[in-house]
């Protein structure tokens, strides 16, 4: 029994299988180390996106070489395998035209570089941070921590807004003031608020635009520049500070008013006046109707 087992272990099939397994294990280890080393080298001269892409290419290339060597060790002919892979690739290409379209679109995205990993982009109604840019799709993480996968073909065909491409960004606040207000006073208050806000940039300077006469307000656009990283903080703090400053200066922000007219032939609406009951007695309400 022991001799038979020893003879089986010394057979060419077992030895070749162990050698092939060893090649696969070494391939996984070397592919990982080579990919990490390549990413470090590439990241010094190229963007993070290119470094990640190059790391994946190196990883799968090294792993494919060791896998081919392992198959050759097992007795497979590489020529036959390459021929079968070519035929299979053509068949898969015809069967998955959408994937081929996404692949070509991914190459265009890589070459054009409209955004990079870490940028915040807007595609349709979706806004999120770019997690990865692959050959078939782009992965996003939204602000409410959702994972979104967008096919590359959709990105090529639709409008994409890169919200963090440039270091500074402008916040446009649209507001209205009552017709009785002094425009010069409103402008002075707005500029004072922007000057006191630590997130507002002095250059480019804030801009005040009187955009026209609305139905119930004087329409104004107040534009303030800030660092892209501070955009949301500026938007929240600036609007709160403007509201407090308008209240302190007595500047009215109008809101729509509606008047109900029943017509001369319509009977008056009954009005019921309800008062809060005293705390030390039962509920007392005045249900007496009044005509208006």
């Amino acid at each position: 029994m022991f001799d038979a087992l020893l003879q089986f272990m010394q057979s060419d099939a077992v030895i070749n299988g162990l050698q092939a397994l060893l090649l696969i294990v070494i391939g996984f280890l070397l592919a990982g180390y080579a990919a990490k080393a390549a990413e470090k080298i590439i990241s010094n001269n190229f963007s993070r996106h290119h470094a990640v892409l190059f790391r994946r290419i190196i990883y799968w290339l090294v792993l494919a070489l060791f896998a081919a060597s392992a198959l050759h060790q097992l007795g497979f002919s590489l020529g036959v395998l390459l021929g079968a892979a070519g035929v299979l690739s053509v068949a898969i290409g015809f069967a998955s035209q959408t994937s081929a379209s996404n692949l070509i679109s991914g190459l265009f995205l890589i070459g054009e570089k409209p955004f990079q990993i870490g940028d915040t982009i807007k595609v349709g109604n979706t806004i999120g941070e770019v997690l990865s840019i692959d050959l078939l799709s782009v992965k996003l993480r939204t602000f409410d921590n959702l994972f979104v996968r967008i096919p590359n073909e959709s990105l090529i065909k639709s409008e994409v807004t890169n919200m963090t491409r440039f270091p500074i960004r402008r916040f446009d606040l649209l507001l209205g003031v009552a017709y009785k207000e002094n425009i010069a006073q409103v402008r002075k208050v707005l500029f004072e608020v922007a000057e006191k806000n630590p997130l507002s940039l002095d250059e480019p300077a804030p801009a005040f635009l009187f955009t026209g006469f609305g139905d119930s307000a004087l329409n104004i656009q107040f534009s303030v520049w800030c660092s892209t990283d501070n955009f949301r903080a500026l938007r929240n703090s600036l609007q709160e500070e403007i509201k407090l400053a308008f209240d302190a200066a007595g500047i009215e922000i109008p809101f729509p008013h509606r008047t109900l007219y029943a017509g001369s032939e319509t009977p008056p609406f009954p009005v019921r006046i309800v008062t809060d009951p005293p705390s030390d007695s039962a509920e007392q309400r005045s249900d007496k109707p009044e005509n208006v």
Side-chain angles (χ1 to χ4, degrees), residues 5 16 18 45 51-53 68 72 80 99 105 118 150 157 163-164 166 198 224-227 267 269 287:
L5 180 61
N16 291 336
L18 292 176
N45 300 319
V52 172
L53 182 62
H72 180 69
V80 175
S99 298
S105 300
I150 303 178
K157 293 181 178 180
M163 307 177 71
T164 55
F166 302 111
V224 179
W225 290 86
C226 68
S227 172
F269 290 111
D287 296 334

Side-chain angles (χ1 to χ4, degrees), residues 141-152:
R141 179 174 58 193
T142 62
F143 292 132
D144 52 350
N145 206 32
L146 298 178
F147 180 84
V148 180
R149 176 185 178 274
I150 303 178
N152 291 334

Side-chain angles (χ1 to χ4, degrees), residues 184-263:
Q185 176 67 13
V186 174
R187 182 191 295 111
K188 178 182 177 182
V189 172
L190 290 175
F191 275 101
E192 287 178 352
V193 171
E195 183 179 358
K196 294 178 181 178
N197 192 302
L199 303 179
S200 174
L201 297 179
D202 296 331
E203 184 62 34
F208 178 93
L209 298 176
F210 181 23
T211 58
F213 300 93
D215 294 337
S216 59
L218 302 174
N219 296 328
I220 295 170
Q221 175 181 319
F222 187 57
S223 302
V224 179
W225 290 86
C226 68
S227 172
T228 301
D229 297 334
N230 297 328
F231 179 79
R232 281 182 291 177
L234 173 78
R235 181 181 60 186
N236 294 335
S237 61
L238 190 68
Q239 294 184 95
E240 180 180 354
E241 293 166 0
I242 288 176
K243 177 62 170 62
L244 295 175
F246 276 11
D247 292 343
I251 298 176
E252 178 185 354
I253 301 177
F255 55 91
H257 294 76
R258 288 181 174 86
T259 302
L260 297 178
Y261 175 67

